[in-house]
Amino acid sequence: MTDKLLPDAAGLARAVELLRGGLLVAFATETVYGLGGDATDGRAVAAIFAAKGRPQFNPLICHYPDAASAFAHVAATPAALALAGAFWPGPLTLVLRRRTGCPVALLAAAGLETLAVRVPAHPDALALLRAVARPVAAPSANRSGAVSPTTAAHVLAGLAGRIDAVLDSGPCPVGVESTVLDLTGPRPVLLRPGGVTREAIAAVIGAVDSGAPPAAAPRSPGLLASHYAPALPVRLAARAAGADEALLAFGPPPGGARAVFQLSESGDLAEAAANLFAGLRALDESGRRLGLRGIAVMPVPDSGLGLAINDRLQRAAAPRD
Ligand code: AMP
Ligand code: MG
């Protein structure tokens, strides 16, 4: 059942309670409705991917009530400070490096070292974010492949029964997504055009590069330098770990491995998704420390969130030449 809440004191309080409890609430921003979940809770982030039904993990934008709380989790650069001053609150998303100790779940950024952050301009979104007092991960509140929703009715048309509530603030004023700007490289790169124009950004920080065309993408996107892939080779569909392998387990593990990370003892796909990136990192690290030569991964069923988990594991296991 999906509750429809009004953005009055009672509705906001209920939305806060749901989000702080790890549940999902769609809410209006000035661009489109976002499908919000507590970004620090890997299970809540996994539930966002499950509700959208997307067969891949893509990095999500984390929403904050003000620049100070955003820059507590990502490292500000001079360009980021200038742009935040000019356009926040507003439809501009900045991709920056996570600070050490950043509490945002690795799954929210699909394992990347970077994080996309934004302060939305909608008064109800700001009231919600202030009260939740945690970063809220929110992709557009539609099923994968559908158009972005700009009313609560659109949200319910796609997600009724799949999310816990929608906060109905009426139609979104902007209606197009936020501009996404990557500030982690030597030059700013426009990853997605949106509500703030390239010219407006250039007027504040100077020239902005366009994102690389998809054709220029490497054969295996999971091996992009910026996208975490373990240094140790990954072997999929393993029944047991070899003597020189660490084991990424799903369900009761066979004995014998010297390093084991459990994705989900009970075989729960949402729990496994929430643990996936932390598990790959942990085994890569402990495996190398122990002198092991690879990571064996137990089979994960190819249904529901398992599709996105297997997509990521296949990228991690793809040939490296
Ligand atoms: P949506 O969640 O539908 O608003 O889309 C979010 C957009 O931001 C997508 O185009 C993502 O690829 C992009 N994005 C989010 N986080 C990152 C990141 N850490 N690095 C690069 N792009 C990102
Ligand atoms: Mg979208």
Side-chain angles (χ1 to χ4, degrees):
M1 218 355 237
T2 302
D3 287 340
K4 194 158 147 182
L5 305 173
L6 290 174
D8 54 16
L12 281 168
R14 177 72 183 139
V16 169
E17 180 179 278
L18 291 169
L19 286 169
R20 293 186 70 100
L23 300 179
L24 304 185
V25 179
F27 62 99
T29 72
E30 79 280 28
T31 61
V32 303
Y33 273 76
L35 171 47
D38 178 354
T40 66
D41 177 348
R43 294 292 290 268
V45 176
I48 292 175
F49 287 111
K52 282 188 68 92
R54 195 169 196 275
Q56 282 179 340
F57 295 125
N58 55 330
L60 305 178
I61 298 169
C62 286
H63 295 74
Y64 292 85
D66 48 53
S69 48
F71 293 142
H73 292 175
V74 291
T77 63
L81 291 171
L83 291 167
F87 300 112
W88 280 358
L92 176 66
T93 295
L94 300 177
V95 175
L96 292 161
R97 288 193 190 287
R98 296 167 72 104
R99 287 187 187 277
T100 345
C102 171
V104 172
L106 285 175
L107 184 63
L112 297 171
E113 286 300 335
T114 57
L115 192 63
V117 297
R118 172 166 113 82
V119 178
H122 199 293
D124 297 341
L126 288 174
L128 180 68
L129 292 166
R130 252 181 241 117
V132 173
R134 292 182 195 165
V136 172
S140 51
N142 51 271
R143 293 275 289 170
S144 174
V147 291
S148 294
T150 55
T151 65
H154 295 166
V155 173
L156 289 170
L159 298 175
R162 305 182 66 90
I163 62 176
D164 301 286
V166 55
L167 198 55
D168 185 357
S169 298
C172 302
V174 176
V176 296
E177 282 98 343
S178 61
T179 303
V180 180
L181 187 71
D182 184 353
L183 294 176
T184 60
R187 283 164 61 86
V189 178
L190 187 71
L191 297 179
R192 176 175 80 183
V196 172
T197 65
R198 184 197 185 108
E199 292 75 18
I201 293 169
V204 176
I205 59 165
V208 172
D209 290 349
S210 313
R219 190 160 49 90
S220 177
L223 300 180
L224 278 173
S226 63
H227 203 153
Y228 183 77
L232 290 176
V234 172
R235 181 170 69 87
L236 300 180
R239 295 285 154 197
D244 55 357
E245 283 179 323
L247 182 69
L248 189 62
F250 180 79
R258 284 163 63 209
V260 178
F261 186 99
Q262 181 59 260
L263 288 174
S264 171
E265 181 86 49
S266 65
D268 177 309
L269 289 167
E271 182 181 20
N275 286 332
L276 178 63
F277 293 101
L280 284 170
R281 280 166 195 263
L283 288 184
D284 200 24
E285 218 255 335
S286 60
R288 280 186 286 166
R289 192 161 23 80
L290 292 169
L292 302 179
R293 307 178 70 109
I295 299 173
V297 182
M298 289 173 66
V300 173
D302 227 355
S303 61
L305 276 173
L307 286 173
I309 293 173
N310 285 324
D311 169 75
R312 192 65 195 80
L313 288 171
Q314 275 147 18
R315 290 164 196 264
R320 311 273 172 102
D321 55 16

